[in-house]
Amino acid sequence: MTEFLASNNNETALISIGERKIVAAARSTHTMSDQHTDIYISEDSGKTWFNKGPVTLAMQHPAHILMLQDGTLLNLWNKEQALLRSRCKIK
């Protein structure tokens, strides 16, 4: 369990994907050279959070999340002003 709204995360995107389940994509700022986007999941309406790890490489941030009609989450981010994307299915 972790607190994702800590001093080493910012630019957080949130999306509700179920009755009490929330997914967050947050910019990690642990170091200036490795700022990436981490995914966090809460299954209790945001009381506790679990870090599921990075979903982008260094300097790929900030994230925006959109749920597609089939339930797939689309994660969009920028790197040097180029729009990039990844897709993931979270059950």
Side-chain angles (χ1 to χ4, degrees):
M1 182 174 63
T2 186
E3 291 183 33
F4 78 91
L5 294 175
S7 61
N8 57 354
N9 290 103
N10 63 24
E11 296 181 336
T12 304
L14 299 168
I15 188 166
S16 175
I17 62 168
E19 191 172 311
R20 298 176 47 135
K21 199 168 191 178
I22 303 169
V23 175
R27 177 181 180 178
S28 172
T29 58
H30 294 281
T31 66
M32 287 303 292
S33 63
D34 183 27
Q35 295 182 27
H36 58 270
T37 300
D38 284 324
I39 290 290
Y40 295 84
I41 296 179
S42 173
E43 295 183 344
D44 58 6
S45 301
K47 292 179 184 167
T48 57
W49 292 92
F50 297 91
N51 186 339
K52 302 308 254 181
V55 292
T56 68
L57 300 174
M59 305 312 290
Q60 294 179 341
H61 54 74
H64 303 281
I65 305 172
L66 174 69
M67 183 178 288
L68 303 178
Q69 287 181 336
D70 68 356
T72 300
L73 295 181
L74 179 63
N75 178 33
L76 304 169
W77 69 91
N78 290 314
K79 179 176 181 175
E80 298 174 7
Q81 300 179 2
L83 182 62
L84 305 170
R85 66 195 177 286
S86 66
R87 292 172 66 143
C88 62
K89 188 93 164 187
I90 299 175
K91 299 181 182 197

